[in-house]
Amino acid sequence: MSGSKIPAEGEGPVEIKEYTGAAGGWGSMKSLTTILPEERIGTDALDALRRQNKPEGFMCVSCAWGKPAKPHIAEFCENGAKATAWEMTSFRVTPDFFQKHSVSELDQWPEHDLEQAGRLTHPMKYDAATDRYVAVSWADAFEGIGAAMKRSEAKKVVLYSSGRASLEASYMYALFARMWGQQNLPDSSNMCHETTSVGLKNAIGSPVATIQLEDYEKCDAIFAFGQNVGTNAPRMLHTLRDCAKRGVEIVTFNPLRERGWERFTDPQNPIEMATGKSTRISSQYHQVRAGGDISAILGICKLSIEADDAALAGGGERVLDQHFIDQHTVRFEEFAAFCRAAEWDDIVRESGLTRAAIEDAARVYINAKAVIAVYGMGITQHRFGMDSLYMLTNMLLLRGNIGRPGAGPGPVRGHSNVQGQRTVGITEKTELAPVDRLKALYQFDPPTEKGWDTVESCRAILSGECQGFVQLGGNFLRAIPDYGRMKEAWAKLPFTVHIATKLNKSHLVPGKESWILPCLGRSELDIQGSGRQAVSIEDSFSHIYGSIGKATPAADTLLSEPAIVAAIAKQVLPENSNVPWDAWVADYGKVRTAIENTYPDKFGNYNERLFQPGGFWKGNPASHRKWETKSGKAEFNVPRALNSSGFQDKDGRFRLVTLRSNDQFNTTIYGYDDRFRGIKGTRQVVMINVADQQRLGVKDGDIVALVSDADDGIERMVDGLRVTNYNLPDGTIAGYYPELNELIPLEHHALESHVPAGKSVPVRVRTGS
Ligand SMILES: Nc1nc2c(c(=O)[nH]1)N[C@H]1C(S)=C(S)[C@@H](COP(=O)(O)OP(=O)(O)OC[C@H]3O[C@@H](n4cnc5c(=O)[nH]c(N)nc54)[C@H](O)[C@@H]3O)O[C@H]1N2
Ligand SMILES: Nc1nc2c(c(=O)[nH]1)N[C@H]1C(S)=C(S)[C@@H](COP(=O)(O)OP(=O)(O)OC[C@H]3O[C@@H](n4cnc5c(=O)[nH]c(N)nc54)[C@H](O)[C@@H]3O)O[C@H]1N2
Ligand SMILES: [Mo]
């Protein structure tokens, strides 16, 4: 059994009551005036905020939303500012800190306290005799890591990256892996939008959004699925507000009524702030069951197709774009037959929505000339997540809503450079690696055997096959499912290397040998041989931006990510004059030239265009209706199930949605408040609606446990959760990630993309514990 009790937090009074404010507004100002002084940040940080997301400024380390060519006076949001403050804190985790606290002790600390302790300052190596990390020189660290890697079989070592590292660092990291003879290059995308990368590629031949920021100025309807804008991409609220004001219909599908999709007060608008005025965002809000999107969209498609059938029969105006369907798509007839045959009883049951509600949504869809479908983790993190995504593209294809202005799929990516990492070679899949170019440029034979993704890496860790784990940022152990089982196996790894800015749980379960290598953050000045360096990132719209850090580094002992990656590569690889690692570290412009030589179509004149306002666009074939799919056309797909949970409903079984609060960035917990959801002072909650509470015989404030209800016979439990009244569809309950990751079986993942299915986890509620 892998049960755990979450340690008590003692973070001030717990208060749970409905939040009545809009997203943004004074609430977000108040939240900022708390975190900025808490992190004791200096004038450097305020100056950095002023420059955040502006040409020649630094690009926010929080979300991947686009940075407009004409930025606002303050082009940052509450959560972007928190992320900056968190990185620019004046607290430090020095060798003394590690002398005071053993690793076993630190492992008991809540995640919040670990990161709040401050920025890592020195390279550290674990000493088992004293159970402490002790300071080592950079030279000794690299030598030790090199030796550990060379003792291992390259193909059994994982090189993970979290989506924050720059294009330059990521390109070097992936190149190093391949020159070493492997491509075990999972990244956070494997837990996130990989369903998009696989599903959109299959359906329309492009693994990313086909739209750009400016398309939001041209759409007349937005369909939004499973994304929490107010918390996870708050700058998008400005875009949505402008759309709503223009009369764009915004139709939202989400089991929770997320405040950002309801209304918004612009903190940068003095009149709105003074009058408390807010803009309504969604014109319709549908509280779909967790996993119910397949059926909700099926209803919309069925109504569209049947309206078109009627128009054909009666001579009315066509609803479908027949010309587009004929010219550009395959398998329409199969899909249309499936929709016509679908039964409303099934659609209503599986979506959790009434037929009338779906008819309202369909009316908007049918009348709109240009539709954007925006989505997040509520679509991708399900067992049949790809079927949900296919339904979303099916819907768009019916009326030719892909590849023209103001229309198309708009996945909202997570980490600020997660999409870019894939672009420059961080992938375990050979077909996505630029094998021929690498071979020509560096004269070696890149590996062709598929590497491990996140789930496969976890399997190899569990089985003992994995011989070592390097992470370029991130907190892998805490972000993955099955925390209890994985933690035990992780401790047996022969070596781990963590390139990080802050201490986290992954560092505190040392393998036989473990190093922590502290690096510069993106906001910091990075001086190398040729002077001050810039790095670059790619946003959700495939726009690429330069970023220059200006703040004084947290310690003069820090190295940059490119410098660390190069040093490790030089230890492990035989002397190879074809990669001038030192020259690259001295001048990142040379890495960009190498990237341009590897991907000439996407990165032409890279260095010249680095600071183009609004970023430069790497292009997208599907946006001009060039379909790089197997069939050469956009593909309709019939879904394999009517809901995406991938398990049967049963008495007492719930679909658990694991969510982010407004006070966290993934496993980084800034605080214990989730303002928009009215939850203060705690994260140990399970949100349940009143009818489900009555069925369970529990009430608001009771303490319960959640237990895994997967059919694999493994007991998994999280105890000490406070029942919290919440407006949710029957049978859907919710709580926070990462605390609940214990409950997700590793094998409960999206089928093709292997994204852990954190948005419908089968659980039971255990009372009286
Ligand atoms: N401040 C802040 N910003 C962030 C992050 C952060 O942690 N904090 N994380 C970054 C990262 S890496 C990512 S990937 C993104 C994540 O951003 P989101 O995609 O918004 O991710 P989640 O917070 O997990 O919320 C998913 C949303 O989907 C809804 N949902 C759950 N299940 C379903 C379903 O079956 N159907 C539908 N229609 N909706 C459902 C939930 O109610 C919730 O509103 O944000 C990025 N930005
Ligand atoms: N149950 C459940 N599980 C989930 C999710 C969910 O919704 N539900 N979401 C999934 C998703 S979408 C994602 S993206 C993953 C996130 O997984 P990760 O990306 O691995 O996790 P993060 O919490 O973003 O990583 C935080 C750590 O990154 C390090 N760091 C911060 N900035 C830098 C930097 O500039 N450089 C370096 N080198 N290190 C830095 C710090 O040490 C910090 O502790 O989690 C996934 N797990
Ligand atoms: Mo993510």
Side-chain angles (χ1 to χ4, degrees), residues 115 160 162 164 415 475 479 502 504 561 667 737 741 759:
E115 286 214 20
Y160 171 70
S162 153
R164 197 177 283 199
H415 272 293
N475 185 3
K502 292 241 180 145
N504 65 46
E561 289 172 326
T667 68
Y737 140 67
N741 284 25
K759 294 296 184 276

Side-chain angles (χ1 to χ4, degrees), residues 87 115 160 162-164 188 191-192 377 381 415 472-476 479-480 499-504 507 519-522 561 658 660 665-668 737 741 744 758-759:
E87 181 168 296
E115 286 214 20
Y160 171 70
S162 153
R164 197 177 283 199
S188 56
M191 308 182 226
C192 183
M377 298 299 99
Q381 294 180 334
H415 272 293
L472 178 58
N475 185 3
F476 186 81
I480 54 178
I499 303 165
T501 51
K502 292 241 180 145
L503 192 59
N504 65 46
H507 310 160
C519 65
L520 291 172
R522 199 185 292 152
E561 289 172 326
T658 58
R660 292 159 169 79
F665 190 91
N666 298 340
T667 68
T668 295
Y737 140 67
N741 284 25
I744 311 173
K759 294 296 184 276

